Amino acid sequence: EYTGGKWIRRAPLNGWDGLTDLQLLSITGKVKSMGQTFRVRRYWCYDSDKQTRPAFPEKSISVRITLLAPEWTQHGFSPNNPGYTWWFNRFDDTFFHGEDIAKNFRQLEATRGVHEATKVHHFAHRYAKARESTKDKIVYHSAILLEWSHGKYCTIFELAFYSGVGGYGGRSNWHEDSISMDPPPKLLNAFPNYMIRPWNSTLAEVRMNDVPYKNWEEFTTYLTDHESPSGSKDHRFLDVNHIASADVKLATRSESAIATFVNNYTQHNREYHEESRNCQTFAADFYRLLTGDSNVKPFHTICQILYHQHVNWFLYSAT
């Protein structure tokens, strides 16, 4: 579709509902040159050919098409809703993302009262695999478990790959139904179509999942039930480590406040790096914010060496 001087693909790309309204920037192809050599030929470019209708180069050996996502994708999952965060409550199947999370909680707080975070637990684990590589043996995922004043359930906070759940069939280790696709996981059904897109391991999001455990003691039974001492594809966790627990000392600790803090954090830096900007650095920063513990650090030695705390990202909006 040609609109506003741009060629736009409105329909989902490759069946991904989250890849729509993409602007065409260029079309290049690999063509045979002299002898057995090849060269890259540019067939269409937005800067010079935007008034010419683009066409697929049929005779190229391979074709590369470069597309540009809408500008709002630099700020969140949908227009006018900044932040790379989402919160899923599986008990009433509600799902919110970005600034809408805090807005929803403020509405609830006005009618049913304020629920506050009371205790925080910092933990880490490896992923259970039938065969671990050398790298697998040093890769640990860290997360935060929060208990609430209502005493009905807890919430897990974790930083991970951008669209790693939406792009992977709604699978999450924190829900019992995450493995089965028939029926699909409740989490996948809760996802808006525009958040179903391929994952990107260079960008990050923060996921918040309510889980049916009232406290750390109950949650550890879930970890134990799904932990394998030697690694197995039928299990989820390996070498679970309880790093620390403490009372939440943050003065403002309602659900809406916590959601705002975490959403601020994601807007300051979208990047994901295995060594320096990852689940472990987020968990350490979040634990420090909630408890005031300045000695907290990422779980693994490599991450500790490269760690620079960014608690201030929780406190201030990036816009």
Side-chain angles (χ1 to χ4, degrees), residues 7 16 34 37 41 44 66 128 134 145 150 162 166 193-195 198 203 209 233 241 269 295 309-310:
W7 289 95
W16 293 100
M34 297 179 63
T37 61
R41 176 182 174 185
W44 190 94
T66 303
T134 301
L145 182 81
H150 56 62
Y162 173 74
N193 287 342
Y194 53 80
M195 288 181 64
L203 300 176
N209 285 278
K233 65 178 181 179
N241 285 261
N269 190 337
N295 295 316
Q309 66 88 9
H310 291 291

Side-chain angles (χ1 to χ4, degrees), residues 26-287:
S26 66
I27 302 175
T28 58
K30 182 179 180 182
V31 296
K32 196 168 184 178
S33 186
M34 297 179 63
Q36 297 298 314
T37 61
F38 301 91
R39 63 184 177 88
V40 175
R41 176 182 174 185
R42 176 154 293 187
Y43 291 95
W44 190 94
C45 179
Y46 170 74
D47 292 333
S48 57
D49 305 311
K50 60 183 176 182
Q51 294 184 344
T52 303
R53 185 176 185 84
F56 188 84
E58 299 290 348
K59 295 184 179 180
S60 287
I61 298 171
S62 61
V63 176
R64 180 176 66 192
I65 298 176
T66 303
L67 301 162
L68 179 67
E71 190 275 338
W72 57 259
T73 61
Q74 298 181 47
H75 308 289
F77 293 112
S78 64
N80 306 313
N81 190 4
Y84 294 95
T85 56
W86 54 260
W87 194 311
F88 175 56
N89 183 325
R90 68 174 295 109
F91 310 107
D92 57 14
D93 295 336
T94 54
F95 182 98
F96 294 93
H97 65 84
E99 292 183 349
D100 283 353
I101 304 172
K103 290 178 182 177
N104 172 66
F105 280 127
R106 284 194 292 269
Q107 292 174 356
L108 290 174
E109 290 163 359
T111 57
R112 53 97 163 121
V114 176
H115 297 160
E116 293 187 325
T118 57
K119 292 184 179 295
V120 55
H121 310 278
H122 185 190
F123 65 99
H125 66 83
R126 298 210 309 271
Y127 291 103
K129 296 183 178 181
R131 293 185 178 180
E132 282 192 299
S133 66
T134 301
K135 181 179 178 181
D136 291 334
K137 294 179 180 180
I138 63 171
V139 172
Y140 282 80
H141 181 65
S142 290
I144 294 293
L145 182 81
L146 268 189
E147 297 181 24
W148 300 100
S149 57
H150 56 62
K152 297 178 180 178
Y153 53 80
C154 292
T155 305
I156 294 175
F157 294 73
E158 61 178 342
L159 183 143
F161 294 163
Y162 173 74
S163 198
V165 174
Y168 200 56
R171 291 180 172 88
S172 168
N173 277 336
W174 311 122
H175 302 294
E176 291 282 6
D177 66 346
S178 67
I179 302 301
S180 171
M181 294 306 293
D182 186 20
K186 293 179 69 175
L187 178 55
L188 180 62
N189 290 333
F191 259 70
N193 287 342
Y194 53 80
M195 288 181 64
I196 306 299
R197 61 183 73 186
W199 64 83
N200 187 331
S201 59
T202 67
L203 300 176
E205 67 184 21
V206 173
R207 310 163 186 171
M208 293 161 278
N209 285 278
D210 292 336
V211 292
Y213 310 101
K214 300 181 181 66
N215 50 49
W216 173 255
E217 288 71 27
E218 289 190 7
F219 180 62
T220 56
T221 63
Y222 175 80
L223 294 175
T224 302
D225 288 345
H226 293 281
E227 183 179 12
S228 170
S230 58
S232 167
K233 65 178 181 179
D234 298 323
H235 293 80
R236 302 184 182 187
F237 312 114
L238 182 63
D239 191 24
V240 175
N241 285 261
H242 176 212
I243 301 170
S245 293
D247 292 335
V248 175
K249 298 180 180 179
L250 193 65
T252 305
R253 51 183 183 269
S254 65
E255 290 165 310
S256 61
I258 296 296
T260 299
F261 292 144
V262 175
N263 204 51
N264 286 343
Y265 189 91
T266 66
Q267 293 182 68
H268 280 279
N269 190 337
R270 287 192 64 197
E271 297 178 357
Y272 185 98
H273 300 287
E274 283 189 338
E275 300 84 7
S276 59
R277 159 74 170 155
N278 53 38
C279 58
Q280 295 188 31
T281 58
F282 166 77
D285 284 347
F286 195 33
Y287 190 89

